[in-house]
Amino acid sequence: MRHSIQAPAAVAMVRPHHFTVNTETAADNSFQTISDHGEDLASRAYAEITAAAATLESHGVKVHLFEDEGTSTPDSVFPNNWFSTHAGGHVAIYPMKAESRRRERRSDIIEMLKTEYRVQDVIDYSGLEPDALFLEGTGAMVLDHIDRVAYAVRSDRTNPIALERFSTHFNFEPMAFEACDSNGMPIYHTNVLMCIGTDFAVIGTGMISDRRRREEVVGRLARFGRRIIDLSEEQISRFAGNALELQATDGRILALSSTALDALDAGQRAAIEESARLVALDIPTIERAGGSVRCTLAGIHLTPRH
């Protein structure tokens, strides 16, 4: 199977030592579940990331695992929101809405990228935060590295000016649209609505508000023959759209949570597995914070130095 620029062979992950659900981000994230008192969330989340990283490595994915021993960054387990990497040696650092999430940015991860991979430049958009121009990385955008399109659900975490600026710098065409659940609650991050693989895309098309825009999004995703796998709102609520295609030792895999895998029907699983094996990671504790497997994986699209 050919290597795909859509599927990175390496990821960065952050293992939290004091995981908790971030109350600062709960207002616009309907996927969050406020934690019950007395539960040992931290130790379970630590174990879940440990096991997830080991599973990915067993499939031949390179995992750069970083520790977060602090208590001021409850969402640090989701590093895909504050940085992304791009073929040609480019790195982006993003402006975050919640102040607690701004503290997640760490120089040691950027230094690792420069040491282990060929990095030409780092473009830091965090200076947009004082003007409330937020763009929360590959949560806010789902990037099609093949067709060079940045799909983005409009929200407080996805500012159109910041999106346009990123798209110009990194050579993507921005494709923004409205999406919400049946209660009218906007989707907070695009990466819970959709996932783009090399030969397929999974997406909750029914949650895209405007019919014409929905058809444009689906048409663009299918432009190079991708199979469109439609997800229901109920499947989206179980994180079936929050997945990431990766390059493994013997072909491509789709990393998703056990919750997400259980939400897919037999036909959907078969359609995905025509081009990528399904690899389920069990992270139910972390999912209480409103994100799933895709959010925990910062894909590395850079060329290794060695």
Side-chain angles (χ1 to χ4, degrees):
M1 183 178 286
R2 72 191 189 282
H3 184 74
S4 168
I5 60 170
Q6 188 67 22
V11 297
M13 301 179 73
V14 176
R15 179 163 52 190
H17 290 236
H18 301 282
F19 173 84
T20 187
V21 176
N22 189 355
T23 55
E24 187 184 5
T25 58
D28 63 349
N29 183 349
S30 62
F31 291 77
Q32 280 185 219
T33 305
I34 300 301
S35 59
D36 299 325
H37 295 293
E39 291 185 323
D40 192 5
L41 295 178
S43 63
R44 291 197 310 222
Y46 181 96
E48 288 172 9
I49 290 296
T50 302
T55 298
L56 292 176
E57 291 204 306
S58 74
H59 286 276
V61 176
K62 173 70 175 174
V63 177
H64 299 277
L65 187 59
F66 288 83
E67 308 296 333
D68 179 18
E69 299 179 7
T71 58
S72 65
T73 50
D75 280 330
S76 64
V77 72
F78 302 135
N80 87 118
N81 296 135
W82 70 262
F83 80 96
S84 67
T85 65
H86 303 265
H90 310 293
V91 177
I93 298 175
Y94 294 102
M96 308 290 286
K97 180 184 176 185
E99 289 191 19
S100 61
R101 300 221 57 192
R102 299 171 191 177
R103 295 190 288 269
E104 295 172 28
R105 293 189 288 254
R106 22 194 305 184
S107 58
D108 59 341
I109 292 181
I110 301 302
E111 289 307 311
M112 177 279 292
L113 294 174
K114 292 177 178 178
T115 301
E116 298 284 333
Y117 300 89
R118 299 191 182 280
V119 174
Q120 299 293 330
D121 52 32
V122 178
I123 300 181
D124 187 349
Y125 298 102
S126 62
L128 297 174
E129 286 166 351
D131 295 316
L133 304 178
F134 309 123
L135 184 67
E136 297 190 341
T138 54
M141 302 175 291
V142 172
L143 301 177
D144 184 342
H145 295 272
I146 298 169
D147 197 22
R148 309 303 299 173
V149 179
Y151 295 89
V153 174
R154 295 188 184 96
S155 75
D156 289 346
R157 307 190 193 198
T158 308
N159 179 273
I161 295 172
L163 174 64
E164 191 71 43
R165 195 168 296 186
F166 164 84
S167 299
T168 299
H169 287 156
F170 285 85
N171 191 32
F172 283 92
E173 176 188 339
M175 197 162 191
F177 52 93
E178 311 278 350
C180 59
D181 64 21
S182 54
N183 296 317
M185 181 80 165
I187 298 297
Y188 82 103
H189 272 161
T190 312
N191 76 357
V192 296
L193 180 74
M194 61 187 292
C195 158
I196 301 174
T198 304
D199 298 322
F200 64 88
V202 294
I203 178 171
T205 60
M207 301 177 80
I208 299 176
S209 308
D210 182 78
R211 181 185 59 81
R212 181 175 297 175
R213 195 59 167 160
R214 184 187 315 145
E215 292 172 353
E216 290 171 351
V217 168
V218 171
R220 190 60 184 265
L221 285 169
R223 183 179 179 186
F224 292 115
R226 275 198 188 95
R227 183 166 185 170
I228 306 301
I229 300 164
D230 203 2
L231 301 177
S232 68
E233 181 175 337
E234 197 268 339
Q235 289 176 314
I236 292 293
S237 73
R238 293 166 65 187
F239 297 108
N242 194 245
L244 182 65
E245 187 182 54
L246 298 168
Q247 184 67 44
T249 305
D250 54 351
R252 293 189 293 272
I253 62 174
L254 185 69
L256 75 173
S257 72
S258 301
T259 307
L261 181 61
D262 289 344
L264 295 174
D265 65 36
Q268 291 167 329
R269 294 185 191 191
I272 292 168
E273 293 209 296
E274 287 181 10
S275 60
R277 264 180 310 127
L278 292 161
V279 174
L281 308 176
D282 199 32
I283 58 166
T285 307
I286 288 161
E287 287 178 325
R288 300 183 69 156
S292 189
V293 164
R294 172 64 185 98
C295 304
T296 68
L297 303 176
I300 299 178
H301 294 264
L302 303 168
T303 303
R305 286 191 176 274
H306 308 296

